[in-house]
Amino acid sequence: MSTDAEFADARHIPPIPPQPPRRPVPAGTPEPDGDPRTAVLRRISAEPSVPAPGAPAGAHPVPPRPTAPPSAAGGQPPRPDRAPGPPAPAEPAAPTPPPPAGRPAAFRDTAAFHLANSQKLWSESRERGAGSGPGAPPAPNHPAAAGPSAAPGSEPTGPVAGRPPQPPWSATAAPHRGVVPAPGAPAMPRHPSGRRPGPRLLGAAACLVLGIGLIGGAAAGSWLTDEADAAPPTAEAAFAKGRDVWHNTPVDKLFPRTVNGLGVGPGGADRTWTRIAVAPDSGCSGAYDPKLAAALTRAGCTRLLRATYADATRTSVITVGAQITKADQPGMMALNTRFSTKSLGTRTDLLPLPYAAKGTPAEDFGRAQRASWTVRILTDVPVVVYAVSGFADGRTVTEPQPAEEAVRPGATTAPAESGLGHDAKGLADRVGTDFRKAAGSPTQTTEASS
C-alpha cells in the first residue's frame, strides 16, 4: 500500500472530467470510427489504389494509416457512463462508387509530366479512340488488384492506365530540364551552338570563293577571246596583216599542192592542177617584162613568191606568183584604177615571166612559150597576183591572149581551145583567195583583170 507521504512532492494532477452522454444513434447508421467532437480530422475512404508492378492479383490491401494520433502511453480509456447495450444489427454498407474511368489514383497535372509523356498519351488516346467505334468489341473489365495505397501527396510508381485524351501537342517540343523523354518518343533536335566558326572553316570558305572567282575569270576571258577571234577583223587590220602573210603562213596554205577547179575548164569541165615546183622567196627583179616591172614600181616590192603547176594531162604548165607590195591601201586602189583605165593588163608587152624549174615538165617553159596570162591588183591586201600559162612540150606561141579574152564563149584561138586561158584564170583566182583568207579579209574585192 502507498501512503500519503509518497505523494507529498508529486505534482497535483486535476481529475479528468467525465464525458458527456452520447446522443442516441438512429437505427441503420453506422457508428463512426471516432468521436467527431474530439477528432480533428475525419478519415475518408481512399480510392482504389493502383497495384504496384509485379504485385500478385490476390494481394491483401494494406490498412489505411490512422488519422488521429494514438493516446498517451499508460493512459486509461474513459469509462462509459452506462452499460453498453446489445449491439445493433449491422446493415450492409453502401458500396463505394468506383472512380471515374480514365482517372488515375493521383492525377499528375504538371507541365513536366505532360511534356515528357505527351507522345505516349497521345498515341494511347488515338488507339482508344480507334477501338471505341460502333463495331469494336468492348474492352475487358479487369478489376484492379488490391495493393498498397500511395501516401498523401506522393506520386504512384505503377503505370498510369485510363488516361483521359490529351491535346495534340507537338512531339518535338523540348522537354523540361531534368525530365527524360518517354521510350519511343523522337529525339529532340539539339540547338545549334553559338560558337563562332574556326580559322580552318574561314580559310576553306576563302579558298572556295577564290577558286570560284578564278574559274569564272578564266571562263570569261576564254569567252571574250573566242568572241574576239570569231569577230572579223576590220579592213585596216586585214590590210596590215596581209603584209606579213608571206612569212607567217605555210606555203601549202598559199600554194596548195593540188588545186581542184570545178567547172572552170572549157565548156564547164573540171580542172585539176598539181604543184611541181616552188621558187625560193626573192625580190621582184627578173620576174616581169621591163614595162610591167616599171608599172609596178610605184607600189614597191617587199617579197616575191612563185610556184609552178601542171594540169592532169601534163600538157599545160602554169606559173603563179604573188608580189607583196609596200604601198598602203589608197596606193593599191590607185594602182588598180590605173591598170583598169589604161588596160595595162591586156598589153602583150606587159607579161610576167614563168618559173621554169629544172627536171620538171616546166623546164622548157620560157618567154616564147607564154600563151595566156592575167594580173590582179588586190586592194584589200597589199598583194599583186599574176599567172602565166603555156604548153609543156615547149612549143612557141606567136600571139598570146589575155585570160579574160580566152575564156569567153566562142573563142577559137589556140589558148582558148587548149584551155590555157582557163588555167591561168583559175589558179590566179585560187591563190588570191588564199592570201585573203590568210589575212582575214572580211570582203571580196573585185579588182581589175588584165
Side-chain angles (χ1 to χ4, degrees):
M1 294 182 61
S2 62
T3 61
D4 294 336
E6 296 177 0
F7 299 94
D9 296 334
R11 181 180 296 181
H12 178 72
I13 299 175
I16 298 175
Q19 293 184 358
R22 294 188 177 183
R23 296 181 181 180
V25 180
T29 302
E31 186 176 356
D33 296 338
D35 191 352
R37 289 174 296 179
T38 58
V40 179
L41 298 176
R42 181 179 297 273
R43 181 170 55 86
I44 302 175
S45 58
E47 298 175 354
S49 59
V50 180
H60 297 283
V62 178
R65 184 178 298 176
T67 58
S71 58
Q76 298 293 332
R79 293 182 179 182
D81 55 352
R82 62 178 179 179
E91 296 182 1
T96 304
R103 179 180 177 86
F107 188 76
R108 303 180 183 181
D109 193 6
T110 60
F113 177 81
H114 285 296
L115 290 176
N117 299 275
S118 57
Q119 177 67 21
K120 178 180 180 182
L121 296 177
W122 172 246
S123 302
E124 292 178 356
S125 61
R126 290 176 61 90
E127 292 176 0
R128 288 196 300 270
S132 59
N141 185 13
H142 298 285
S149 60
S154 63
E155 296 180 359
T157 59
V160 180
R163 191 73 179 179
Q166 299 294 331
W169 293 339
S170 173
T172 60
H176 191 272
R177 289 188 176 182
V179 178
V180 180
M188 302 301 173
R190 300 185 63 180
H191 296 282
S193 60
R195 298 175 58 186
R196 299 179 62 183
R200 292 186 179 179
L201 181 59
L202 294 178
C207 292
L208 178 62
V209 172
L210 182 60
I212 294 176
L214 292 176
I215 294 174
S222 176
W223 176 73
L224 292 176
T225 303
D226 294 342
E227 289 292 330
D229 294 342
T234 61
E236 294 78 6
F239 188 88
K241 186 178 180 181
R243 200 180 303 277
D244 299 329
V245 162
W246 68 272
H247 62 80
N248 290 337
T249 308
V251 64
D252 290 343
K253 294 289 185 181
L254 301 178
F255 300 101
R257 294 180 180 272
T258 303
V259 178
N260 296 317
L262 303 178
V264 297
D270 297 337
R271 305 287 282 187
T272 301
W273 303 283
T274 303
R275 190 183 70 192
I276 57 177
V278 176
D281 58 286
S282 61
C284 297
S285 59
Y288 310 103
D289 284 342
K291 292 184 178 180
L292 180 58
L296 297 176
T297 303
R298 295 183 180 181
C301 178
T302 301
R303 216 65 182 165
L304 179 66
L305 307 178
R306 293 176 296 174
T308 300
Y309 288 82
D311 67 345
T313 61
R314 297 287 178 124
T315 59
S316 301
V317 289
I318 310 96
T319 295
V320 58
Q323 175 184 339
I324 312 301
T325 67
K326 298 179 180 179
D328 55 5
Q329 194 167 13
M332 295 299 294
M333 294 180 68
L335 182 63
N336 183 39
T337 302
R338 184 168 178 262
F339 263 73
S340 62
T341 56
K342 293 185 177 183
S343 300
L344 298 179
T346 59
R347 291 172 54 176
T348 58
D349 57 347
L350 280 80
L351 271 68
L353 295 177
Y355 172 63
K358 299 298 181 178
T360 65
E363 60 181 353
D364 296 332
F365 188 22
R367 291 174 181 267
Q369 285 75 34
R370 295 176 295 183
S372 183
W373 82 97
T374 180
V375 178
R376 310 289 179 86
I377 309 298
L378 307 183
T379 58
D380 50 349
V381 290
V383 178
V384 176
V385 177
Y386 68 89
V388 57
S389 60
F391 293 102
D393 56 2
R395 76 182 69 175
T396 303
V397 178
T398 57
E399 295 182 0
Q401 186 179 18
E404 280 67 23
E405 295 180 2
V407 297
R408 290 175 183 173
T412 58
T413 60
E417 292 180 351
S418 62
L420 292 175
H422 296 82
D423 294 337
K425 182 179 182 300
L427 281 174
D429 291 342
R430 173 61 185 271
V431 172
T433 301
D434 291 341
F435 270 85
R436 284 190 175 103
K437 287 182 179 179
S441 176
T443 58
Q444 182 72 23
T445 304
T446 303
E447 63 280 337
S449 300
S450 55

